[in-house]
Each structure stands twice: as C-alpha cells, then as structure tokens.
C-alpha cells in the first residue's frame, strides 16, 4: 500500500506541466494542408480553447515569429519548420538514411520512405523518389493515419499489447476509399499477420492508386523504432506482386539502416511501446 503523502510521479509531472505551452502547440496544430489560413474562431474550435485563450496564444506566437495575421485570418510562418527540424537534427536520421533510400528508389524506380509512429499517425522522417507518380505525395514531416498504411501497420505490429490497445482506444478509423479496412477485428488480424510474416502490403486503402510494402527498422534491443517502405502506383503493379518482388530487398536495406540507427540512441528512447 502506498504511504499517505507519497508522491505520484505521473501526478507530479502533470502539476509541473506548462499548460500555456500545451495550448500554444494545439494552436499550431490547428493549421493543416487543407486549412493553411484560419480565423480566430476556427482556431479556437480546432484547438478546443476559449477564443480569448486562443487569441493570447496567437499574439504570443506572432511576437515570436511563428504566426502572422492577414486581415481576419492567421497563417503559420516558416519559422515553425525549426520545431520539426530540431527533431531531425537531433536524430540525424535523414543524413544516416539518405544513401539507402536513394539506392532503394533507384533500384525500384519508385518512392522510398522511412517513418516513425507518433500517437495514432505515422510521420515521415526521410524520403526519396525517382519521380512523382501520384497525387498523394508525402514529404518529410507529413503525417498520415497509421491504420490504412503499410508503414503504419508495421509500426503498430511493433507495439506492446498495452500500446496497441491504447492505439485502438484513441484512433479515429474511417474509410478513405472503398477498399480501406475499417473493421477493428480485421485490422487487428492484419497487424498480427504483419508481426508474424515481417512485412505489410496495402493497395488503394490510403488513396486510390497507392500500393506499398513496408518492413520494420529495429534498435539494438530488437524493438521496432521505424518503418521502411517502397511504394508505387496500382496501375503499375499489385500488392501481391510488390511484396513478392521487394520484401527481400527491403529487409536487406532495413538491416543496414538498423545498424546505422544504432548510432542514434534517441530514436530507441523515443520508441513507442
């Protein structure tokens, strides 16, 4: 039994957390590709904040150079990129993986990417492409839902049972195409299959035309810390054919990248379990 007055580490962390900083970050996250310019009312609604609080956050962010105002609307400024760049710089991921991804893209004639899991989404941390084939082109920093992507399923397969339960509690799972798997039991089965066979392949689930196959990247302790994929267009190939032709190549490059990323201890420490 816990002694009276004994401190709870989680409670202590919550007490010391800066609510103002959290609110400011929610304001920044309100802006998206589809909504690059927003009014105060829209920002407050998206961030779940009172209008007065959102306004104070925006004024502070504007003073610091992260936001600008044009008429009634607010927009992000390029300085926001420094926030994401700090993560990439600290990990040095893009430098470590650049050659491998470029080689993979060159050998396949398609796109190659490396992502990590962040909550219910995957985030691109490195990418290479021989040419643009699809309307849906991700870039470093892009966020996509995990459940309909090959890399997302690989990363979810690397979670602990508790981590996977938390994911399904928090994820919003909706159909993005007619082929998107949204049934949670089926998704669990696909994630388990990925864990068993060591790769995941999807076709037309994230968007029509997108077919991709992915494998995990491991740290020293054999934890899944990232995912590597090769993607193409479904007019060129099928999910089954892509897996047959590229899984071995991906696993070979994954082993090389896994060895390189052992020089990046921060990536292992930030791995979601």
């Amino acid at each position: 039994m816990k002694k009276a007055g004994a401190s709870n580490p989680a409670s202590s962390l919550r007490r010391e957390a800066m609510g103002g900083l959290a609110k400011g970050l929610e304001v920044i996250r309100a802006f998206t590709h589809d909504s690059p310019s927003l009014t105060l009312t829209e920002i407050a609604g998206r961030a779940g904040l009172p209008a007065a609080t959102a306004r104070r956050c925006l004024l502070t962010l504007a003073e610091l150079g992260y936001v600008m105002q044009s008429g009634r609307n607010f927009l992000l400024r390029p300085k926001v990129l420094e926030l994401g760049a700090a993560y990439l710089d600290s990990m040095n991921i893009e430098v470590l993986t650049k050659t491998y991804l470029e080689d993979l893209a060159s050998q396949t004639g398609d796109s190659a990417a490396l992502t990590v899991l962040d909550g219910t989404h995957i985030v691109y941390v490195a990418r290479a492409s021989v040419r643009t084939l699809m309307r849906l082109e991700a870039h470093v920093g892009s966020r996509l839902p995990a459940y309909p992507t090959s890399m997302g399923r690989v990363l979810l397969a690397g979670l602990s049972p508790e981590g996977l339960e938390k994911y399904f509690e928090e994820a919003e799972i909706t159909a993005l195409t007619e082929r998107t798997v949204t049934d949670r039991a089926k998704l669990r089965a696909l994630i388990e299959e990925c864990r068993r066979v060591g790769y995941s392949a999807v076709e037309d689930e994230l968007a029509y035309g997108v077919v991709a196959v992915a494998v995990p990247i491991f740290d020293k302790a054999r934890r899944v810390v990232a995912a590597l994929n090769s993607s193409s267009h479904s007019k060129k190939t099928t999910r089954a054919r892509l897996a047959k032709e590229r899984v071995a190549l991906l696993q070979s490059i994954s082993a090389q990248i896994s060895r390189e990323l052992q020089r990046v201890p921060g990536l292992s420490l930030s791995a979601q379990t």
Side-chain angles (χ1 to χ4, degrees):
M1 179 182 293
K2 188 164 64 175
K3 295 180 180 178
S7 62
N8 182 322
S11 297
S12 298
L13 283 173
R14 282 194 293 271
R15 283 197 300 271
E16 294 189 35
M18 293 181 63
L21 175 59
K23 292 169 184 174
L25 292 174
E26 284 301 317
V27 166
I28 291 175
R29 288 167 62 89
F31 297 89
T32 66
H33 177 271
D34 295 325
S35 303
S37 176
L38 297 167
T39 65
L40 171 60
T41 301
E42 290 170 335
I43 292 168
R46 287 170 175 241
L49 299 171
T53 302
R55 182 174 181 275
R56 289 196 298 272
C57 289
L58 286 164
L59 291 175
T60 302
L61 290 168
E63 184 176 342
L64 294 173
Y66 293 105
V67 169
M68 65 175 288
Q69 186 172 2
S70 176
R72 295 179 59 250
N73 284 38
F74 293 86
L75 302 91
L76 295 181
R77 298 188 67 185
K79 191 174 182 181
V80 170
L81 292 172
E82 293 178 1
L83 301 176
Y87 172 79
L88 293 175
D89 286 346
S90 69
M91 299 297 185
N92 204 29
I93 294 172
E94 196 168 16
V95 173
L96 289 176
T97 60
K98 181 177 174 64
T99 301
Y100 297 111
L101 292 185
E102 288 180 349
D103 286 348
L104 177 56
S106 178
Q107 288 185 58
T108 61
D110 285 316
S111 297
L114 190 143
T115 66
V116 295
L117 189 63
D118 182 31
T120 60
H121 288 67
I122 59 171
V123 180
Y124 281 68
V125 295
R127 186 180 178 282
S129 180
V130 173
R131 58 183 175 274
T132 300
L133 291 173
M134 292 166 284
R135 180 180 59 81
L136 181 67
E137 279 293 317
H139 53 79
V140 172
S142 288
R143 296 172 63 86
L144 295 173
Y147 67 92
T149 65
S150 61
M151 289 185 286
R153 290 176 187 172
V154 162
L155 292 165
L156 293 174
L159 292 178
S160 64
E162 296 77 15
L164 190 59
E165 284 303 318
K166 183 180 179 184
Y167 168 81
F168 277 108
E169 288 173 4
E170 298 177 350
E172 293 183 13
I173 299 175
T174 58
L176 304 178
T177 75
E178 291 181 352
R179 298 188 62 178
T180 306
V181 176
T182 57
D183 182 271
R184 290 172 183 253
K186 290 182 180 178
L187 281 171
R188 287 177 183 273
L190 288 169
I191 292 167
E192 179 55 39
E193 179 186 17
C194 173
R195 185 182 291 119
R196 186 176 68 254
V197 301
Y199 72 90
S200 175
V202 300
E203 183 175 355
D204 292 341
E205 290 197 50
L206 176 66
Y208 291 113
V210 179
V211 56
V213 60
V215 299
I217 303 286
F218 299 98
D219 68 1
K220 277 185 180 180
R222 294 295 293 174
R223 293 187 304 174
V224 177
V225 293
L228 171 71
N229 95 332
S230 178
S231 60
S232 188
H233 198 289
S234 54
K235 288 183 178 179
K236 289 179 55 181
T237 189
T238 64
R239 178 180 60 182
R241 181 179 169 191
L242 197 70
K244 181 179 180 181
E245 294 177 345
R246 299 187 186 178
V247 166
L249 173 61
L250 282 166
Q251 289 174 334
S252 173
I253 294 176
S254 166
Q256 297 174 68
I257 293 177
S258 294
R259 286 192 293 271
E260 289 283 354
L261 290 185
Q262 288 177 13
R263 295 157 45 193
V264 188
L267 188 63
S268 293
L269 292 173
S270 67
Q272 297 191 54
T273 57

